[in-house]
Amino acid sequence: MKAPHRTRTAATIGALLLLTAACGDGGTETDPEPAADQTPHGYVEGAEETADTQTRLVLADAESGEAAVLDLATEETTALEPLPGVERALGDGRFAYLAGAEGRVHVVDSGGWTVDHGDHVHHYRTEARAVGTVEAPGLTAVHADTTRTALSLDDGTARLLDRAPLEDEGAVGEPSQRETEGAAGVAVPHEGRLLVPVADGRIDVRDAEGATVATLDENCPEAGGAAATRRGVAFACADGALLVSAEGDTFTGEKIDYPEDTEPAARATAFTHRPGSDTLAARAGDDGAWALDLAARSWTRVDTGPLLAVNAVGDGATLLALTEDGELRAHDLADGEVTASTPLLERPPGEGEPAPVIEVDTARAYVNDPSAGVVYEIDHQDDLRLARTLALDFAPDLMVETGR
């Protein structure tokens, strides 16, 4: 039985999935759209541009289906219509994808996002809202660019959603759903194309209509998870990682081999990282973790002991590991030593319960503790100092951060 929650009441929403976001200024009404010749750079219709990142957490209780969007700037929550059977939460920076019963995925606009123009960024906020549902049984990964979102499924295929209806209309329409053919791994939109692993270890480069326009020379056998970064897309492969980058219409792959004598059981199968950074983290078997430095093209293995979750701060020097006994530790990648630690979880998850996650942004890390009904905000630049304990009305079994 889950422990009682130390909570504060969130506003109840009676719409199909959610309505009425709670924002720090009491609303998100914007000025009338400026004339075309006066439209400022970065203008987004219906959204308020802000000076700071609008970071939100989308959270859900796997048992009851209760869910909410938590605004980290104001600590106010927007309650969502209960989602019975929700099993997984994934995000693409703005939208959260809550995988529920019978293959139905609920799409939530968190109302906070960042647009990266390379040399500068724009931050936006708007109301959280229901976008709709999509049939995507066995959802394993979500990746997006400015035009498409790819929902990768556990059968190796992917379904694609057009971004325009999601962002402009707040809807998921049947015509926007398309399936990739011949896929055998995580599909990732990149530089106007779609990178698709196929069964023989090749990576296809496909256009908007699904036609293969190129195939990379470098293979990625047994392709697993992927991470999209400013340096390109990194795929986890049986023999290391494949970093795919683009220059104009030309796509190339560069293999980053594992260190010698890496056992098959220690291979990375999925990556976590801070958006915008080029240091990736992954499990390395049952008792360790990998840090993949894309700038240096190198792997570093850290002996962490058994883990619940792992992530990289993104400074090229620090790995965060949540141990099975509920302690958060910072490891120095130079020597693997523990540089700071703090006990967090009241109890570790039981058999069959979702494992906590570590979400990271430039200043903070967030760890969900379902048994206590809270999320811990950690200052990873100050010896893992506990900055805030954020209480919910439910057990936050599932969590994804948006706005970054």
Side-chain angles (χ1 to χ4, degrees):
M1 181 179 296
K2 295 179 179 176
H5 310 313
R6 302 187 293 275
T7 62
R8 52 188 192 80
T9 303
T12 301
I13 294 184
L16 175 63
L17 181 59
L18 76 145
L19 284 172
T20 316
C23 297
D25 58 6
T28 58
E29 294 183 3
T30 59
D31 294 332
E33 180 179 353
D37 59 353
Q38 298 178 338
T39 301
H41 171 64
Y43 174 78
V44 175
E45 183 178 0
E48 174 191 354
E49 185 167 6
T50 66
D52 301 315
T53 305
Q54 299 301 300
T55 312
R56 313 272 173 91
L57 297 177
V58 182
L59 305 131
D61 184 323
E63 182 177 327
S64 69
E66 292 182 77
V69 179
L70 171 61
D71 187 328
L72 290 170
T74 64
E75 297 189 25
E76 295 182 9
T77 58
T78 298
L80 314 184
E81 187 75 9
L83 308 172
V86 62
E87 300 172 343
R88 190 163 196 178
L90 298 168
D92 65 10
R94 172 176 177 176
F95 296 91
Y97 302 82
L98 305 178
E102 300 178 353
R104 183 169 298 172
V105 175
H106 301 268
V107 186
V108 177
D109 185 349
S110 70
W113 71 99
T114 295
V115 177
D116 188 347
H117 289 289
D119 59 345
H120 69 284
V121 297
H122 294 269
H123 306 296
Y124 298 97
R125 67 183 297 153
T126 187
E127 291 186 350
R129 58 178 174 172
V131 176
T133 61
V134 57
E135 297 301 320
L139 181 67
T140 60
V142 174
H143 293 282
D145 63 5
T146 57
T147 60
R148 291 180 293 178
T149 296
L151 308 180
S152 296
L153 312 183
D154 59 8
D155 63 1
T157 64
R159 294 193 176 178
L160 307 180
L161 304 179
D162 294 326
R163 296 289 294 187
L166 294 177
E167 296 176 352
D168 302 336
E169 303 168 19
V172 180
E174 285 293 332
S176 70
Q177 300 176 30
R178 300 187 298 277
E179 294 189 15
T180 61
E181 297 180 358
V186 173
V188 183
H190 184 61
E191 297 295 333
R193 302 296 191 186
L194 186 69
L195 304 177
V196 181
V198 292
D200 60 1
R202 294 180 293 113
I203 302 289
D204 282 350
V205 181
R206 301 186 182 183
D207 63 17
E209 303 305 319
T212 299
V213 297
T215 298
L216 299 182
D217 293 334
E218 290 281 355
N219 280 6
C220 181
E222 301 176 30
T229 75
R230 286 185 173 183
R231 293 184 181 271
V233 177
F235 287 92
C237 314
D239 54 358
L242 182 66
L243 179 62
V244 182
S245 57
E247 185 172 347
D249 293 330
T250 302
F251 286 73
T252 57
E254 180 180 354
K255 183 60 65 68
I256 307 174
D257 295 325
Y258 282 122
E260 291 185 9
D261 302 324
T262 296
E263 297 291 335
R267 296 170 180 168
T269 58
F271 293 119
T272 54
H273 74 301
R274 174 175 63 78
S277 74
D278 53 17
T279 304
L280 312 182
R283 292 176 181 268
D286 295 330
D287 58 359
W290 290 110
L292 173 58
D293 187 332
L294 296 179
R297 306 294 200 267
S298 66
W299 295 87
T300 300
R301 191 183 188 283
V302 178
D303 292 324
T304 59
L307 293 176
L308 295 174
V310 65
N311 211 330
V313 167
D315 59 1
T318 308
L319 186 82
L320 297 182
L322 183 65
T323 63
E324 283 193 338
D325 60 1
E327 184 174 78
L328 183 67
R329 297 174 182 170
H331 290 265
D332 186 340
L333 292 178
D335 54 18
E337 293 299 314
V338 176
T339 59
S341 64
T342 185
L344 288 182
L345 304 187
E346 285 195 352
R347 68 168 179 83
E351 184 176 353
E353 294 180 339
V357 299
I358 305 170
E359 292 280 12
V360 182
D361 56 40
T362 56
R364 296 289 191 265
Y366 298 91
V367 178
N368 54 319
D369 186 351
S371 63
V374 302
V375 173
Y376 301 109
E377 180 183 76
I378 305 296
D379 186 344
H380 58 69
Q381 299 176 338
D382 186 16
D383 293 330
L384 301 186
R385 176 178 59 85
L386 178 61
R388 287 189 293 180
T389 300
L390 303 160
L392 282 303
D393 284 356
F394 53 86
D397 294 306
L398 307 171
M399 180 178 76
V400 65
E401 185 177 358
T402 65
R404 299 167 296 181

